[in-house]
Amino acid sequence: MTSTTRPRLTAEDWLMAGFRALACSGPAALKAEPLARDLGTTKGSFYWHFKDLPDYLTRLIRLWEERAFDGVIALLDPAATPRARLEQLCFLAVGFRDDSYGGAVLEPALRAWALASPEVAHAVARMDARRIAYLASLCREACIANPDAPEALYALIVGLETLDMKDAHRSMRLLLTAL
C-alpha cells in the first residue's frame, strides 16, 4: 500500500487563499478556520506560518502591495518608449484577471474592506499615491503636458476595475488617444 502525502502548504499558499476568499466573500472570510477548510487542511498549518490573525492580515496586505505594484511594473518592456510603457501599464491594469490571486474583483474588494479597516485604508492610500506617482513619471517621460493626466488615467483604471467593464480596453484607448 502506498500513501499519498499532500505537499506542505507555504505561507504564500495561505496568502493566495486569502486573496481569493476576500475577492469571493469579503474580509469576514479571512479567518483561519474557513481558509483551512478551503485549503483542505487544519488550522495548525495556519498557525505554523503566522503568529496570529493580525500577523496574517498584515502580511496579506504587504504581499498585495508588492504584487500590485512591483509585480506589474516588472511586466513592462524596459526597451519600449515611455509612451509605449505608459500604454502597456494602463492596459495591464485594466486587463488583470489572475484568478489564483483573486481575479478582477480583488482590488474592488480591498477598497471595500478599506472602508471598515484603517490599516487597509492606509495601505490602499499608499498604493494609490505610489501608482499615481509612477503614472506621473511615465507621463513626464512621454512628454504628456496635462498635469491632470496621471490622476485621470488612475481614476479610469480604478473605475474600470470597480465596474468590471467587458470593454475596458476600448475605454482606456479613448483616454490615451486624447492625451
Side-chain angles (χ1 to χ4, degrees):
M1 176 188 329
T2 62
S3 67
T4 58
T5 58
R6 284 189 306 220
R8 286 187 186 263
L9 292 174
T10 65
E12 186 163 326
D13 292 329
W14 282 96
L15 295 169
M16 296 303 278
F19 289 128
R20 291 188 301 273
L22 177 63
C24 290
S25 304
L30 298 176
K31 294 186 172 46
E33 184 92 23
L35 290 170
R37 229 182 353 264
D38 288 347
L39 289 169
T41 191
T42 65
K43 289 190 308 183
S45 174
F46 178 90
Y47 291 107
W48 176 259
H49 295 290
F50 306 99
K51 182 175 73 170
D52 52 22
L53 188 59
D55 176 46
Y56 175 77
L57 297 176
T58 297
R59 289 172 61 184
L60 185 77
I61 294 301
R62 190 178 318 135
L63 182 60
W64 168 69
E65 287 185 274
E66 290 169 14
R67 286 187 173 217
F69 188 83
D70 299 329
V72 172
I73 302 306
L75 296 173
L76 301 179
D77 179 1
T81 66
R83 176 68 184 218
R85 280 195 322 275
L86 176 65
E87 291 183 9
Q88 285 174 358
L89 177 61
C90 289
F91 290 121
L92 275 170
V94 298
F96 183 75
R97 299 289 185 263
D98 184 351
D99 290 331
S100 71
Y101 184 55
V105 296
L106 178 62
E107 291 259 346
L110 275 159
R111 288 182 184 284
W113 185 17
L115 296 173
S117 169
E119 181 183 352
V120 178
H122 290 302
V124 169
R126 276 192 310 269
M127 181 63 77
D128 288 346
R130 215 173 152 198
R131 288 171 168 170
I132 291 169
Y134 189 77
L135 280 168
S137 72
L138 283 178
C139 285
R140 278 191 304 277
E141 290 174 30
C143 299
I144 295 172
N146 186 333
D148 297 323
E151 281 138 357
L153 286 167
Y154 193 63
L156 182 59
I157 290 166
V158 171
L160 290 171
E161 285 175 339
T162 302
L163 295 172
D164 192 25
M165 293 182 67
K166 301 302 175 219
D167 201 7
H169 282 155
R170 185 182 73 72
S171 298
M172 183 56 72
R173 172 65 54 211
L174 286 170
L175 183 57
L176 286 168
T177 301
L179 294 179

